[in-house]
Amino acid sequence: LGVTLAETLLYPVRKLFADLSTDADFDQILDEAQRGSWEVETSPHDEERGHILQARASAMRNKNGDQTGTVIILQDVTRERELNRMKDNFISTAAHELRTPLASIMGYSELLLHPENYGDTVVLNQADFVREIHEKSIVLTRIVDELLDISRIESGHPIPLQKGEHPLGTILEKVIGQYRKFSGKHVFDLYLDKSAPTTVEIDPDRIVQVLENLVSNAVKYSPAGGIIRVACARKGDEYIISVADEGIGMSEEQVNRIFDKFYRADHSNTAVGGLGLGMSIARQIVESHQGRIWVQSRPKQGTKVTFSLPAGS
């Protein structure tokens, strides 16, 4: 509340609420809180964002039943309200993300089921239609996998891993190779240091999931194109893998929240899809490998995401 413990002695409560820049007066707050609970939003002058406080009050009475004072409990519920808002946005976004590939699958499958209604075009492009259905089904599978992963995380269960010795360099080359084929506006620079491992103990599918998320983000948040640099090198007892872009970057607040579940960086000059789960799941996967992940970014100066994997013996 911006008041030190020493200052609270004989501090007028009405003045405290006035200092918090609330729209309601203290008597209203007290009356509402005594009848249940009441929320008040603060907007302190020395902070960028205010807080949502939930107030509950109880009267203090002497032996004769006379009221001698009031106990007020204030709970900061800002984070809970923000999470509720993010979850509501997530449900809306998830429905949209699921509907888009479903619409394509339904449309192309209808063409294939009833070719007589659409002429020779269907027969000539049948292979393309089947390929499109297959690609959209892969998109749906990824969305469902993300939902299942976040469900495991929410319930306290670790993401399952199938670990073994696998060539990390080959995995990096495969992921980058896929994006080189389909993203003509970007240049993909892959650097494998001489210390890059021949093999490392990982779950290859999960590490591919992390890499695809990071590279996909680099592409989406670099709408003007540019160089996307992917590097791998050994440092001490870790292998350090990084993905850096020259895109629109993020503010400090966005960097601090990038691993929050359901969080999507909101940029007015972009329309980026996604469920807001990718970075949260990526962190869980990396940490399940006993690694760590961190982000460096500045607005209009690009973003660099780095994660580590144990080097072993």
Side-chain angles (χ1 to χ4, degrees):
L1 298 177
V3 182
T4 65
L5 182 60
E7 292 173 333
T8 59
L9 182 62
L10 301 180
Y11 194 96
V13 179
R14 285 179 176 79
K15 185 176 185 306
L16 172 63
F17 277 85
D19 290 346
L20 290 174
S21 302
T22 60
D23 294 331
D25 62 27
F26 173 72
D27 290 327
Q28 179 185 354
I29 293 171
L30 183 60
D31 181 60
E32 296 277 358
Q34 284 181 324
R35 289 191 279 114
S37 64
W38 195 81
E39 290 187 3
V40 55
E41 186 167 355
T42 71
S43 53
H45 301 297
D46 58 343
E47 295 184 22
E48 293 183 5
R49 301 176 63 186
H51 298 270
I52 300 174
L53 303 178
Q54 188 178 76
R56 289 184 175 87
S58 180
M60 296 174 60
R61 301 184 184 278
N62 59 19
K63 293 180 180 180
N64 298 324
D66 301 323
Q67 183 170 343
T68 59
T70 304
V71 175
I72 304 174
I73 298 175
L74 296 177
Q75 181 179 2
D76 190 332
V77 294
T78 310
R79 182 62 173 163
E80 288 83 348
R81 297 297 176 266
E82 175 67 10
L83 284 174
N84 287 338
R85 184 191 66 80
M86 290 166 62
K87 286 185 178 182
D88 290 341
N89 290 342
F90 163 75
I91 292 172
S92 175
T93 302
H96 174 76
E97 293 290 323
L98 289 167
R99 180 173 295 179
T100 301
L102 276 174
S104 295
I105 291 173
M106 292 175 65
Y108 286 116
S109 61
E110 182 180 354
L111 289 172
L112 295 172
L113 284 171
H114 303 287
E116 68 278 4
N117 297 333
Y118 303 98
D120 296 335
T121 303
V122 175
V123 177
L124 295 174
N125 297 282
Q126 183 175 4
D128 291 336
F129 294 164
V130 173
R131 188 178 300 108
E132 189 70 19
I133 290 173
H134 177 68
E135 289 178 356
K136 296 304 181 184
S137 67
I138 292 174
V139 173
L140 281 175
T141 300
R142 288 176 179 170
I143 293 174
V144 172
D145 286 343
E146 283 193 351
L147 294 173
L148 289 173
D149 284 340
I150 209 67
S151 177
R152 294 187 187 100
I153 295 170
E154 288 282 278
S155 62
H157 295 100
I159 292 178
L161 300 179
Q162 301 292 328
K163 296 173 71 175
E165 292 290 333
H166 297 276
L168 184 57
T170 302
I171 291 173
L172 287 165
E173 290 172 349
K174 180 180 178 180
V175 172
I176 297 305
Q178 293 173 345
Y179 280 90
R180 281 175 176 156
K181 292 179 182 178
F182 301 110
S183 184
K185 291 197 302 183
H186 300 85
V187 176
F188 294 89
D189 181 17
L190 175 60
Y191 172 74
L192 295 175
D193 189 79
K194 294 179 180 179
S195 63
T198 305
T199 62
V200 63
E201 188 179 7
I202 56 173
D203 181 327
D205 293 334
R206 290 298 188 177
I207 295 302
V208 166
Q209 184 178 351
V210 173
L211 290 168
E212 287 184 341
N213 180 267
L214 301 188
V215 177
S216 173
N217 284 344
V219 170
K220 289 188 292 186
Y221 288 100
S222 304
I227 301 175
I228 294 176
R229 295 180 174 86
V230 181
C232 176
R234 180 163 184 163
K235 186 176 181 180
D237 58 355
E238 295 179 314
Y239 289 111
I240 306 296
I241 302 97
S242 62
V243 178
D245 63 61
E246 300 176 330
I248 57 181
M250 292 183 288
S251 66
E252 183 179 354
E253 180 187 357
Q254 290 169 327
V255 170
N256 291 335
R257 300 182 61 193
I258 194 64
F259 295 111
D260 288 356
K261 293 184 287 291
F262 315 115
Y263 180 73
R264 301 169 71 228
D266 183 20
H267 296 280
S268 59
N269 60 338
T270 61
V272 177
L275 299 179
L277 299 176
M279 291 300 289
S280 176
I281 294 172
R283 181 173 67 176
Q284 292 292 329
I285 292 173
V286 170
E287 291 180 350
S288 295
H289 282 82
Q290 287 74 55
R292 49 201 181 92
I293 184 170
W294 62 97
V295 179
Q296 299 164 285
S297 185
R298 296 183 67 182
K300 299 180 181 180
Q301 296 186 27
T303 299
K304 181 178 181 179
V305 184
T306 308
F307 69 96
S308 68
L309 294 171
S313 57

